[in-house]
């Protein structure tokens, strides 16, 4: 397991405790992945540099890059350590933290335009910092956006606004081949488009598994969540309100209504369009998977957060390979030759999670949120 840990420009490969690390990356509407790593400080003088870049490379893998992110919280302890020594528990956050680093400046007063045009403007604006275009949906998937003044807002606000309208997922990723250079890229696309495909497949059928292209899964959890199913939505927009209804959803489930304030929508036609979009995504349950897979070092980086991957689970009625989006990836060592990779997957990325309250804006799921998790 020849790993190279570069933290703040320094090689700390000899200091990272073998059994004490997990790497997390997320790919679900900008949610920030975070997990901890234990670093031994035998001289008692090392201070992990705050907010500096972290890269982890596995030389046996193709591509080499296993993780790209930044140093966050650090806690030191000398409990049960030899005299003069200590250890650090360091949180590494993934690249989605970059979505909150900058403030949109004087160019942020945007006219009415398509979501693609707005995203491409955002990528050309200095507020995106080092993030460049990765996967951006084609013009054929455009939706119309109202004029909005984003000055003083953050890139995450623009992306969430566009995502609410289009139903697209967004996240920042870096699938670099090797080295320590950071190359963060933006993904903004419909999950159904199958972009960023993995070359591997997952199956629970022993007959399929060859441990080269198809790998076996274990610890499968398959969830159906109806909490986001609604058949009526009342939208308050800048100049009024409108109520839209999906009777088919009400018949398939039960009649449920939600109130939504969305003041960036200015006209009734746009509010109706927005409400109809929400109801289309609220017409089905959210299907989620959590699986574990053991991968050899050579293959560990062929499954990354954000990728779409073919999954076959015969015990759960999936008799053929279905495309799922990896929304979370957690890597930890099993032995010198293999890794355990825990995966969160979703069939679709819902555009919102609704919560009700008196005259309260709806919780925009994962907006400016950090998920600290170690499976």
């Amino acid at each position: 397991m020849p790993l190279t840990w570069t933290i703040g420009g320094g090689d700390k490969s000899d200091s990272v405790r073998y059994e004490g690390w997990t790497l997390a990356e997320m790919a679900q509407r900008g949610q920030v992945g975070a997990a901890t790593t234990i670093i031994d400080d035998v001289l008692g003088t090392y201070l992990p540099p705050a907010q500096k870049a972290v890269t982890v490379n596995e030389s046996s893998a193709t591509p080499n890059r296993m993780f790209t992110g930044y140093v966050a919280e650090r806690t030191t302890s000398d409990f049960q350590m030899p005299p003069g020594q200590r250890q650090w528990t360091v949180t590494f956050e993934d690249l989605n933290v970059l979505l909150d680093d900058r403030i949109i400046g004087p160019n942020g007063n945007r006219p009415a335009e398509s979501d693609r045009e707005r995203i491409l403007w955002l990528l050309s604006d200095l507020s995106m910092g080092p993030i460049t275009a990765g996967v951006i949906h084609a013009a054929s998937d455009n939706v119309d956006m109202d004029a909005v003044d984003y000055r003083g807002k953050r890139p995450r606000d623009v992306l969430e606004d566009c995502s609410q309208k289009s139903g697209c997922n967004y996240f920042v990723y870096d699938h670099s081949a090797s080295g320590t250079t950071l190359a963060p890229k933006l993904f903004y696309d419909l999950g159904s488009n199958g972009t960023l495909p993995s070359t591997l497949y997952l199956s629970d059928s022993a007959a399929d598994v060859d441990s080269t292209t198809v790998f076996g899964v274990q610890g499968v959890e398959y969830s159906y969540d109806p909490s986001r199913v609604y058949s009526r939505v009342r939208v308050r927009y800048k100049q009024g309100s409108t109520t839209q209804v999906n009777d088919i959803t009400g018949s398939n489930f039960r009649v449920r209504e939600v109130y939504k304030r969305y003041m960036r929508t200015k006209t009734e036609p746009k509010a109706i369009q927005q409400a109809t979009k929400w109801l289309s995504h609220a017409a089905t349950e959210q299907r989620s998977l959590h699986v574990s897979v053991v991968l050899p070092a050579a293959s560990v980086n062929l499954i990354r957060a954000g990728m779409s991957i073919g999954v076959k689970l015969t015990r759960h009625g999936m008799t053929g390979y279905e495309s799922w989006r990896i929304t979370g990836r957690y890597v930890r060592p099993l032995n010198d030759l293999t890794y355990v990779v825990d995966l969160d997957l979703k069939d679709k990325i819902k555009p919102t999670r609704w919560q009700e309250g008196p005259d309260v804006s709806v919780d925009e799921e994962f907006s400016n949120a950090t998920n600290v998790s170690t499976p």
Side-chain angles (χ1 to χ4, degrees), residues 110-172:
R110 300 303 301 167
E113 59 193 341
S114 71
D115 63 323
R116 175 182 166 84
E117 289 172 325
R118 189 157 293 180
I119 295 299
L120 293 177
W121 156 74
L122 185 64
L123 286 164
S124 68
D125 190 75
L126 294 177
S127 61
M128 284 294 273
I131 302 172
T132 60
V135 175
I136 310 298
H137 75 60
S140 57
D141 291 321
N142 279 353
V143 296
D144 295 330
M145 304 295 297
D146 279 332
V148 176
D149 187 353
Y150 292 108
R151 288 175 293 185
K153 301 294 184 180
R154 298 185 185 274
R156 183 183 298 277
D157 295 305
V158 180
L159 288 161
E160 186 62 32
D161 202 15
C162 292
S163 175
Q164 287 284 317
K165 195 67 175 289
S166 66
C168 285
N169 189 17
Y170 66 89
F171 54 86
V172 184

Side-chain angles (χ1 to χ4, degrees), residues 146 237-239 262-267 270-271 274:
D146 279 332
Y237 58 98
K238 193 173 183 65
Q239 297 180 2
Y262 205 67
M263 306 311 287
R264 287 176 180 162
T265 297
K266 300 178 180 179
T267 64
K270 290 292 179 64
Q274 182 72 76

